[in-house]
Amino acid sequence: MLVLLERGLGESSIGDIATRLRMFGLSIHRTDHGGQARIGAVGENAGVDWGAVRAWPGVASVEKLPAPFKLVSRAFHPHDTIISVGRCAIGSRQLAIMAGPCSVEGEEQAFTIAAAVARAGATIMRGGAYKPRTSPYSFQGLGEEGLKLLRRAADANGLAVVSEVMDSQHVPLVARYADILQVGARNMQNYALLKEVGHAEKPVLLKRGLAATIEEWLMSAEHIVSQGNTQVVLCERGIRTFETYTRNTLDLNAIPVVKELSHLPVIVDPSHGTGIRNKVGPMARASIAAGADGLIVEVHHDPDHALSDGAQSLYPEQFEELVGQIRTIAGVLGRTA
Ligand code: PEP
Ligand code: MN
């Protein structure tokens, strides 16, 4: 339920109301909008007499939050969530440009690509150190060594870091090096992992599952936010369809749909969304035109020898040209990149 408090109500009265709601066994989440405190009271609330709550002093009204997602809904939190990471405010008018290799492969590779993407205009460097690979015989990532390299390469170029965490036990380790914890498509419904990143003090980039509906994706975000971590960035990265000419089918419908349903920022990964280098640019441009808050793009200086996803990685020059085009499109929309 959404409990709207009277405008200008003092902090101690707000605290009292929150305490009383907690006594019903509900979990309490607060957001403020237009000078009014809004309390999201969630959980199994059988037996609560909401008519009585409505009459409590300080309570202006009580409304039902839409089903099934609550804390991530715009009904609870009407304004856009903005997440500050390094020089970037994700979800603001400034687009978030994240780029880097699929996997961190070594020092020279990480530093070369970091310098290239920084020069082109990225503010956040991507790179996997723990890789979810379809084959157990493919490169699985450099682990902590990869995180160290990524951090150093990013720092040397003034970039923040996003990297995937695959295992709930690795959350503290990845959080030590990365500014954003990426939950990959294959783990979108790994609820133990969602719970753990929900307790982390770092923003989470939640990719859409390979076969997840928008509702399932938002419910996964709800798992994270309900644990207390409100800093969730959604990432559309393509879904499985019957189409075989592209690796995935990038669902650009999801952008305006999510924007309406949720206050969370949504970015697009056109690299995994298409799987094909020369399709990345068109879909990146379309994503921004459709209202995405940013992009995460795979870039490699020597993609023919990349240890993962070389076929969908842009050359640094292509990425630089793309960022220029993205800036033009951003301008048309009153945004910057
Ligand atoms: C990745 O970002 O390299 C990755 C594995 O992405 P996804 O989880 O979307 O497949
Ligand atoms: Mn990849």
Side-chain angles (χ1 to χ4, degrees):
M1 298 294 272
L2 174 64
V3 181
L4 293 152
L5 304 190
E6 283 167 2
R7 265 168 226 285
L9 192 68
E11 283 303 318
S12 73
S13 306
I14 297 174
D16 289 347
I17 292 169
T19 304
R20 286 178 77 181
L21 289 168
R22 265 190 208 100
M23 281 157 62
F24 291 123
L26 297 167
S27 149
I28 299 307
H29 303 263
R30 174 173 166 189
T31 183
D32 290 26
H33 185 69
Q36 183 175 38
R38 305 159 70 87
I39 293 180
V42 294
E44 293 170 36
N45 54 21
V48 180
D49 178 354
W50 289 106
V53 172
R54 193 171 281 122
W56 289 358
V59 172
S61 62
V62 176
E63 294 171 14
K64 242 180 141 53
L65 281 170
F69 40 85
K70 302 187 181 297
L71 302 175
V72 306
S73 72
R74 272 209 191 268
F76 171 57
H77 189 284
H79 50 278
D80 290 341
T81 284
I82 296 176
I83 298 170
S84 290
V85 179
R87 293 180 281 134
C88 200
I90 308 170
S92 70
R93 304 212 64 81
Q94 176 204 6
L95 299 174
I97 308 292
M98 313 181 189
C102 178
S103 307
V104 182
E105 300 167 7
E107 180 163 358
E108 198 189 329
Q109 178 247 20
F111 276 76
T112 303
I113 298 173
V117 301
R119 195 171 46 242
T123 53
I124 299 173
M125 182 177 183
R126 65 148 290 144
Y130 294 93
K131 295 302 303 176
R133 303 306 300 278
T134 303
S135 165
Y137 311 116
S138 301
F139 177 59
Q140 307 288 311
L142 295 179
E144 186 172 3
E145 190 49 37
L147 289 172
K148 286 182 182 167
L149 290 174
L150 183 64
R151 183 77 260 171
R152 281 177 41 225
D155 284 346
N157 291 280
L159 300 167
V161 162
V162 55
S163 197
E164 178 161 357
V165 55
M166 283 175 56
D167 181 326
S168 49
Q169 292 182 346
H170 285 163
V171 172
L173 173 72
V174 179
R176 207 175 306 141
Y177 297 101
D179 301 295
I180 304 176
L181 305 171
Q182 177 174 326
V183 172
R186 291 157 192 78
N187 267 320
M188 189 205 82
Q189 285 176 313
N190 177 341
Y191 298 112
L193 178 60
L194 298 180
K195 189 169 180 182
E196 213 49 45
V197 297
H199 293 147
E201 280 167 16
K202 292 280 169 86
V204 177
L205 181 72
L206 178 66
K207 290 200 155 192
R208 181 176 179 183
L210 280 73
T213 63
I214 293 172
E215 186 167 301
E216 287 164 339
W217 184 25
L218 288 172
M219 287 311 286
S220 289
E222 184 85 15
H223 270 271
I224 300 170
V225 175
S226 67
Q227 294 299 320
N229 189 349
T230 57
Q231 300 197 295
V232 178
V233 182
L234 299 164
C235 178
E236 163 61 42
R237 48 77 72 204
I239 49 174
R240 275 275 160 89
T241 68
F242 47 79
E243 184 51 65
T244 54
Y245 276 103
T246 49
R247 180 175 178 181
N248 289 295
T249 298
L250 190 63
D251 179 15
L252 294 187
N253 290 346
I255 299 165
V257 171
V258 166
K259 281 275 157 202
E260 183 175 341
L261 293 171
S262 177
H263 53 88
L264 297 174
V266 56
I267 69 163
V268 171
D269 174 348
S271 308
H272 294 87
T274 62
I276 306 165
R277 183 174 307 125
N278 70 8
K279 307 294 181 288
V280 171
M283 296 316 285
R285 296 190 290 269
S287 301
I288 297 306
D293 295 305
L295 297 168
I296 181 164
V297 181
E298 288 183 340
V299 176
H300 202 291
H301 62 298
D302 184 12
D304 287 346
H305 296 102
L307 296 181
S308 58
D309 287 348
Q312 65 191 32
S313 298
L314 295 186
Y315 286 93
E317 314 78 70
Q318 291 178 307
F319 177 65
E320 191 165 350
E321 186 185 4
L322 176 62
V323 174
Q325 295 165 338
I326 294 301
R327 288 191 170 131
T328 304
I329 297 169
V332 171
L333 300 169
R335 305 185 81 160
T336 58

